[in-house]
């Protein structure tokens, strides 16, 4: 499974600091995954977010017109990942920046029985 796993990431947004968000997304783009979903919980700076990421490859910006909470946003991200055929979805919040080899390290454990 680990050699053929389709992996994506999803980040829940709510009024993110834009420079830090870009750093977060850039850190994920260097990982062995195919897609990053940005799920926006009705941020005040939604127009700026959409403008920044409109031409980024493998980044999809999804805007919700209300803040339905983190649990709803995470469920929506998993639904998008499932519908698009992903086996695994890393979920993150907007201000976490992952290590450059995080997904490579995680992939090593995908075949473990309790993972």
């Amino acid at each position: 499974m680990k050699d053929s796993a389709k992996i994506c990431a999803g980040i829940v947004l709510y009024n993110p600091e834009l420079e830090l968000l870009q750093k977060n997304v850039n850190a994920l783009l260097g990982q062995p995954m195919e897609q990053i979903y940005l799920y926006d919980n009705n941020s005040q700076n939604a127009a700026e977010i959409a403008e920044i990421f409109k031409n980024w490859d493998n980044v999809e910006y999804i805007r919700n017109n209300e803040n339905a909470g983190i649990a709803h946003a995470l469920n929506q991200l998993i639904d998008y990942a499932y519908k698009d055929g992903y086996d695994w979805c890393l979920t993150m919040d907007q201000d976490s920046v992952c290590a450059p080899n995080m997904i490579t390290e995680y992939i090593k454990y995908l075949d473990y029985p309790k993972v």
Side-chain angles (χ1 to χ4, degrees):
M1 156 73 114
K2 66 183 177 184
D3 294 328
S4 64
K6 275 187 75 175
I7 302 170
C8 68
I11 305 171
V12 177
L13 310 179
Y14 183 69
N15 297 327
E17 194 281 303
L18 299 177
E19 189 173 318
L20 182 57
L21 176 60
Q22 289 177 76
K23 186 176 180 180
N24 184 343
V25 172
N26 278 321
L28 286 168
L29 286 173
Q31 307 282 333
M33 67 174 62
E34 298 178 27
Q35 180 74 26
I36 300 169
Y37 300 101
L38 304 176
Y39 188 88
D40 190 344
N41 254 339
N42 200 28
S43 295
Q44 297 297 316
N45 56 351
E48 291 95 338
I49 299 166
E51 182 64 26
I52 289 168
F53 293 105
K54 71 180 180 183
N55 294 319
W56 286 42
D57 292 334
N58 306 326
V59 177
E60 182 176 345
Y61 177 67
I62 304 156
R63 182 166 185 220
N64 194 18
N65 291 324
E66 66 176 334
N67 185 344
I70 187 92
H72 175 80
L74 290 170
N75 283 325
Q76 292 299 305
L77 287 170
I78 298 303
D79 283 348
Y80 276 94
Y82 179 77
K83 288 175 186 171
D84 288 343
Y86 290 100
D87 302 305
W88 296 92
C89 182
L90 172 71
T91 58
M92 298 185 65
D93 59 26
Q94 65 197 22
D95 55 359
S96 299
V97 178
C98 66
N101 63 340
M102 188 171 82
I103 298 299
T104 301
E105 289 299 312
Y106 282 2
I107 288 172
K108 294 176 184 178
Y109 303 98
L110 294 182
D111 289 333
Y112 278 44
K114 294 187 179 185
V115 171

